[in-house]
């Protein structure tokens, strides 16, 4: 098929005959006729991305005016100085919840400090609003369906259509990529299609049986007339005909759920953790569904057919969203995406057919790479707390926020996991365990801080439940989730329940909901203040060892299911020749480069060889969570915003697809650390088109070479 004009060079041609019918959201059926480069079959028909036969009712809302728009009408000044969102937090309106979650999701993923360069070096530069229409719907069978959302700006040109797919990062709701991807896309006049990938912030307060609907509003799940909930606890009665998602698991009965709730008041179930589906295996599927939903909606809105062959389609997101994009590209045949940009993707590459080594200048070779997320989270959960005692990590921001970690270090010795020694020695041993697990020395001070704010406990609990497809009633590893009133330790009712779905990131601790150690001496208590059954305040080592037993003990009844769940989410590295940029901060302490971007790049080179169009840009002095940069600077931990390079990569890809400019070769970006938290253009450097030879990243002869 020919390009629509002389500058758009992204159009592809296919010699394969395919035909399909697009079923539009409003019930209109349109047969899409194709362009083909085959003279033998002029009647070829264009393929859909994916069939959607389980779409719920589609809601649409117009957003415009000074205090609204597709990004809530904030603009730069509104992001920096937000209004009070709720007139009555006990009874928020859908509009208030929407604006609150837009702001929460935007500012949770970027550094909005002026001294960090936001508003001058990158991000919005003014108060541009984006008037347009927003469409939302659930997709899937049965209960607990994924959310799809399309933002269609008034600036969208149907004669020169551009669509950006932006699945959410983390366990966030469908608005999770508005700051990383959405604003950039809207500024280009592109429509943006989002999905929560069925891991969004859906939650249920079990005692009151309160859930949340598509508009983020709290609903009474006992009310048969209530709107569809984003999440309900699966039970045998609610899922009378379990399909393949529930194969190999036994859902609780309503009676068993009721008994659990009675014995454990004020607890919560969360969608990512407790769907009993291992939702991660379907992140790519839901991303493809979001693209088809967008094409269908655009076709209806403009009364003309939009397909992958006449629409510029870019997949772009970060972290879990980046993984969702890569998995979607792998699951398609190269005909869906014109280009892809992913930042710090939480991708778990499968073992390569030919073993390879990662060689970084000045460091030892790495052969134990490509370890899945659960495994390195487990090492961090066990050892990062004690690693705060290593002299190299002294003064790290957030370290020991839960209290002194000496008891954890001593408990590790008692468990035979560390050799006896003084506290500095124990800290150094723990720090070495992190390095041996594939983390870089640039990230260990970040790791001990993550431990101090319970990040590893929260993630291992969420993903451990998800991969084993455990129910909330199983109370896996004796950990549950509940609100705790400040100054107390026991679960309690939550006064801000009505705004939870807008404020939450989907992984407790979040928006006032914390992890609870159910078997704490004296009764269930918030895990950060709970003693182990030994009586020691050792950061709940017995909980960490429970997660380790699931992974390592073949006799554990959930061992096989955990490992099967992990294998289901492994990535194969085949991007089918789609131009792709992967950008990652070297100091990332959440998704370490040795287990994600580096080995994925090498795997892709093996799988695609000379046909590969993947470029990898590694950024020294950058890490995962930009919103913490100001706090880190207070402790002398100086980092650059990875979002700056994500946005630059988006610009590079857009220019490549629309103007034909080349993509820079894979490289380590020349950067320098900021000082006092102030980021300058000199610190940032650029992803270089004419990159020096000694900064090139190369894969040759089963070795991935990374310059220092």
């Amino acid at each position: 098929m020919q390009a629509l004009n002389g500058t758009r060079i992204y159009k592809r041609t296919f010699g394969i005959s395919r035909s399909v019918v697009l079923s539009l959201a409003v019930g209109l059926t349109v047969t899409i006729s194709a362009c083909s480069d085959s003279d033998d079959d002029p009647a070829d028909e264009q393929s859909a991305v994916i069939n959607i036969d389980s779409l719920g009712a589609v809601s649409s809302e117009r957003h415009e005016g000074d205090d609204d728009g597709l990004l809530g009408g904030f603009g730069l000044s509104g992001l920096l100085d937000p209004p009070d969102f709720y007139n009555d937090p006990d009874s928020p309106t859908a509009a208030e919840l929407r604006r609150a979650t837009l702001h929460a999701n935007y500012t949770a993923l970027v550094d909005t400090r002026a001294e960090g360069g936001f508003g001058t070096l990158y991000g919005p530069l003014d108060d541009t609003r984006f008037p347009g229409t927003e469409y939302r719907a659930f997709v899937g069978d049965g209960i607990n369906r994924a959310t799809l959302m399309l933002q269609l700006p008034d600036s969208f040109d149907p004669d020169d259509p551009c669509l950006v797919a932006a699945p959410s990062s983390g366990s966030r709701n469908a608005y999770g990529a508005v700051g990383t991807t959405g604003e950039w896309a809207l500024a280009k006049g592109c429509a943006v299609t989002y999905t929560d990938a069925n891991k969004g912030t859906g939650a249920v307060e079990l005692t009151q049986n309160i859930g949340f609907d598509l508009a983020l509003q709290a609903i009474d799940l006992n009310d048969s007339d209530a709107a569809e909930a984003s999440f309900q606890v699966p039970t045998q009665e609610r899922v009378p005909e379990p399909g393949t998602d529930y194969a190999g698991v036994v859902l609780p009965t309503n009676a068993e759920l009721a008994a659990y709730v009675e014995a454990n008041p004020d607890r919560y179930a969360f969608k990512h953790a407790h769907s009993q589906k291992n939702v991660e295996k379907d992140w790519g599927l839901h991303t493809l569904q979001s693209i088809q939903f967008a094409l269908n909606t655009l076709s209806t809105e403009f009364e003309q057919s939009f397909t992958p062959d006449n629409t510029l389609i870019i997949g772009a997101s970060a972290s879990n969203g980046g993984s969702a994009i890569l998995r979607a590209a792998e699951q398609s045949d190269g005909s869906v995406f014109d280009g892809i940009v992913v930042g710090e993707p939480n991708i778990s590459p499968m073992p390569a057919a030919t073993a390879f080594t990662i060689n970084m200048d000045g460091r030892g070779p790495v052969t134990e790479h490509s370890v899945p997320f659960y495994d390195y989270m487990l090492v961090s959960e066990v050892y990062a707390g004690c690693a705060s005692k290593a002299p190299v990590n002294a003064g790290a921001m957030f370290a020991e926020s839960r209290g002194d970690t000496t008891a954890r270090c001593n408990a590790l010795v008692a468990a035979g996991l560390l050799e006896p020694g003084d506290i500095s020695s124990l800290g150094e041993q723990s720090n070495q365990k992190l390095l041996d697990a594939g983390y870089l020395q640039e990230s260990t001070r970040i790791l001990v801080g993550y431990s101090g704010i319970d990040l590893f406990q929260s993630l291992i609990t969420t993903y451990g439940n998800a991969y084993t497809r455990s129910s909330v009633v199983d109370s896996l590893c004796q950990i549950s989730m509940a609100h705790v009133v400040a100054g107390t330790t026991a679960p309690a009712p939550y006064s801000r329940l009505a705004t939870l779905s807008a404020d939450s990131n989907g992984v407790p601790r979040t928006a006032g909901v914390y992890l609870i150690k159910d078997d704490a001496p004296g009764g269930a208590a918030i895990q950060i203040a709970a003693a182990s059954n030994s009586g020691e305040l050792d950061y709940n080592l017995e909980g960490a060892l429970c997660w380790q037993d699931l992974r390592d003990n073949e006799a554990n009844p959930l061992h096989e299911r955990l490992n099967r769940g992990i294998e289901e989410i492994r990535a194969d590295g085949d991007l089918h020749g789609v131009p792709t940029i992967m950008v990652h901060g070297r100091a990332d302490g959440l998704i370490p480069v040795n287990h994600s971007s580096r080995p994925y790049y090498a795997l892709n080179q093996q799988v695609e060889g000379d046909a590969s169009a993947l470029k990898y840009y590694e950024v020294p002095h950058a890490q995962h969570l930009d919103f913490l940069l100001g706090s880190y600077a207070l402790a002398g931990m100086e980092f650059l915003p990875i979002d700056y390079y994500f946005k630059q990569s988006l610009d590079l890809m857009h220019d490549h697809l629309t103007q034909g400019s080349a993509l820079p070769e894979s490289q380590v970006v020349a950067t320098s650390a900021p000082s006092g938290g102030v980021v300058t253009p000199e610190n940032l450097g650029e992803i270089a088109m004419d990159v020096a030879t000694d900064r090139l990243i190369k894969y040759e002869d089963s070795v991935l070479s990374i310059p220092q």
Side-chain angles (χ1 to χ4, degrees):
M1 188 173 187
Q2 298 300 310
L4 295 181
N5 59 52
T7 61
R8 301 179 64 193
I9 54 87
Y10 59 86
K11 293 302 172 198
R12 298 171 298 267
T13 57
F14 303 96
I16 302 173
S17 175
R18 294 174 298 208
S19 44
V20 340
V21 174
L22 297 179
S23 299
L24 298 183
V26 296
L28 177 66
T29 300
V30 178
T31 302
I32 308 300
S33 53
C35 301
S36 174
D37 60 351
S38 171
D39 294 332
D40 296 329
D41 193 359
D44 283 351
E45 291 180 339
Q46 205 65 42
S47 73
V49 174
I50 194 170
N51 285 326
I52 299 181
D53 55 7
S54 54
L55 191 70
V58 179
S59 69
S60 64
E61 289 182 332
R62 176 76 185 163
H63 295 283
E64 59 186 352
D66 290 341
D67 62 351
D68 204 355
L70 293 177
L71 293 184
F74 295 113
L76 178 61
S77 61
L79 289 168
L80 300 180
D81 186 21
D84 292 329
F85 295 114
Y86 306 114
N87 289 325
D88 180 3
D90 294 329
S91 184
T93 66
E96 289 173 336
L97 290 165
R98 178 182 175 276
R99 294 195 76 214
T101 203
L102 277 164
H103 190 273
N105 280 287
Y106 196 119
T107 56
L109 297 176
V110 299
D111 176 20
T112 57
R113 297 174 307 123
E115 56 268 42
F118 188 75
T120 54
L121 301 178
Y122 74 106
L125 304 180
D126 54 33
D127 282 347
T128 298
R129 273 85 173 165
F130 298 98
T133 304
E134 185 172 282
Y135 305 82
R136 284 178 286 180
F138 286 124
V139 68
D141 296 317
I143 63 172
N144 301 335
R145 306 198 290 168
T147 300
L148 306 179
M149 183 173 74
L150 173 69
Q151 291 187 333
L152 176 59
D154 291 352
S155 57
F156 178 83
D157 182 356
D159 295 323
D160 190 19
C162 171
L163 175 66
V164 178
S168 67
S169 61
S171 303
R172 297 183 175 277
N173 62 34
Y175 293 93
V178 292
T180 52
T181 306
E183 189 222 3
W184 177 91
L186 294 172
K188 294 288 187 184
C190 300
V192 195
T193 186
Y194 304 88
T195 179
D196 68 350
N198 217 15
K199 58 179 169 51
T201 52
V204 176
E205 201 281 5
L206 296 170
T207 294
Q208 300 177 66
N209 206 20
I210 298 296
F212 300 90
D213 65 14
L214 187 64
L216 307 177
Q217 291 187 293
I219 54 175
D220 183 354
L221 298 178
N222 296 312
D223 183 357
S224 60
D225 295 326
E228 179 178 351
S230 61
F231 176 60
Q232 298 183 67
V233 176
T235 64
Q236 294 178 25
E237 290 82 0
R238 290 171 182 159
V239 189
E241 297 181 7
T244 55
D245 278 338
Y246 301 104
V249 303
V250 177
L251 300 179
T253 64
N254 283 346
E256 289 169 333
L257 176 59
Y260 171 82
V261 173
E262 183 176 1
N264 301 275
D266 303 312
R267 298 304 203 276
Y268 287 74
F270 275 79
K271 191 173 190 177
H272 190 166
H274 299 127
S275 290
Q276 291 196 260
K277 286 184 176 183
N278 190 15
V279 294
E280 186 173 346
K281 69 179 176 15
D282 293 327
W283 289 355
L285 167 68
H286 297 313
T287 300
L288 294 174
Q289 289 173 328
S290 73
I291 294 170
Q292 189 62 64
F293 171 67
L295 294 173
N296 291 350
T297 304
L298 293 172
S299 297
T300 302
E301 178 71 23
F302 293 101
E303 298 183 346
Q304 66 186 68
S305 297
F306 291 88
T307 73
D309 270 18
N310 64 21
T311 304
L312 174 64
I313 300 178
I314 300 173
S317 193
S319 196
N320 284 356
S323 174
I325 291 290
L326 293 175
R327 296 302 304 279
E330 292 176 349
Q331 292 165 26
S332 63
D333 61 0
S335 64
V336 175
F337 296 101
D338 294 289
I340 290 169
V341 177
V342 295
E344 61 268 16
N346 179 17
I347 197 75
S348 294
M350 64 175 54
T354 300
F356 63 88
T357 299
I358 299 173
N359 278 351
M360 179 179 172
D361 289 350
R363 316 284 176 98
V366 177
T367 57
E368 301 299 320
H369 47 70
S370 308
V371 169
F373 180 81
Y374 184 93
D375 288 19
Y376 58 80
M377 282 298 102
L378 179 60
V379 173
S380 301
E381 163 56 353
V382 173
Y383 293 106
C386 182
S388 64
K389 298 299 186 183
V392 70
N393 296 325
M397 180 57 68
F398 307 121
E400 304 200 357
S401 294
R402 308 186 277 181
D404 182 30
T405 61
T406 298
R408 166 56 76 93
C409 296
N410 292 334
L412 288 170
V413 174
L417 298 175
L418 295 179
E419 296 295 325
D422 61 28
I423 194 63
S424 292
S425 169
L426 299 182
E428 289 171 348
Q429 289 182 59
S430 294
N431 194 68
Q432 189 61 47
K433 295 284 189 182
L434 299 174
L435 298 176
D436 292 344
Y439 287 102
L440 298 181
Q441 62 191 32
E442 288 90 340
S443 63
T444 60
R445 298 185 78 205
I446 295 173
L447 291 169
V448 300
Y450 283 169
S451 178
I453 58 175
D454 292 329
L455 184 57
F456 298 125
Q457 289 186 328
S458 297
L459 292 172
I460 201 76
T461 299
T462 293
Y463 286 81
N465 274 277
Y467 292 149
T468 60
R469 293 180 292 155
S470 295
S471 171
V472 66
V473 308
D474 295 328
S475 194
L476 196 57
C477 289
Q478 295 298 309
I479 295 174
S480 62
M481 303 170 182
H483 173 65
V484 176
V485 175
T488 68
T489 61
Y494 186 29
S495 62
R496 292 292 299 269
L497 176 60
T499 65
L500 177 67
S501 65
D503 302 337
S504 169
N505 63 21
V507 178
R509 55 193 289 183
T510 180
V513 179
Y514 299 86
L515 298 179
I516 303 297
K517 181 171 171 56
D518 290 329
D519 62 344
I526 187 171
Q527 187 173 230
I528 58 177
S532 290
N533 282 289
S534 64
E536 296 291 334
L537 290 170
D538 61 6
Y539 273 40
N540 192 22
L541 178 61
E542 60 195 8
L545 297 182
C546 172
W547 300 117
Q548 182 170 289
D549 191 72
L550 286 172
R551 185 62 159 138
D552 297 340
N553 181 7
E554 294 183 2
N556 189 303
L558 290 178
H559 171 79
E560 182 179 352
R561 210 154 78 194
L562 172 68
N563 286 281
R564 184 166 62 246
I566 291 171
E567 290 307 308
E568 286 177 338
I569 58 90
R570 292 280 210 164
D572 64 29
D574 189 354
L575 297 174
H576 306 283
V578 174
T580 300
I581 292 175
M582 187 164 56
V583 60
H584 209 135
R586 176 174 288 177
D588 196 328
L590 187 58
I591 311 295
V593 289
N594 278 333
H595 297 310
S596 50
S597 291
R598 286 178 175 181
Y600 188 87
Y601 177 76
L603 177 63
N604 171 264
Q605 302 308 296
Q606 278 196 23
V607 171
E608 295 196 72
D610 292 341
S612 171
L614 172 61
K615 309 296 184 185
Y616 172 44
Y617 308 137
E618 186 167 298
V619 185
H621 309 294
Q623 50 87 57
H624 198 89
L625 299 175
D626 278 0
F627 80 97
L628 295 177
L629 295 188
S631 297
Y632 284 147
L634 296 175
M637 299 165 63
E638 302 283 1
F639 297 110
L640 301 171
I642 190 64
D643 188 62
Y644 172 84
Y645 300 96
F646 181 73
K647 298 292 198 305
Q648 186 184 357
S649 297
L650 282 167
D651 288 337
L652 289 168
M653 181 58 70
H654 190 264
D655 289 347
H656 173 67
L657 297 174
T658 60
Q659 300 176 26
S661 57
L663 292 175
E665 293 301 313
S666 298
Q667 62 187 269
V668 172
V669 182
T671 65
S672 61
S675 177
V678 178
V679 176
T680 68
E682 291 72 25
N683 297 136
L684 290 167
E686 295 292 334
I687 300 170
M689 185 62 67
D690 297 318
V691 59
T693 302
D694 62 358
R695 304 202 73 84
L696 287 172
I697 294 173
K698 298 180 181 179
Y699 179 76
E700 296 175 336
D701 300 324
S702 300
V703 175
L704 178 64
S705 299
I706 308 289
Q708 177 63 38

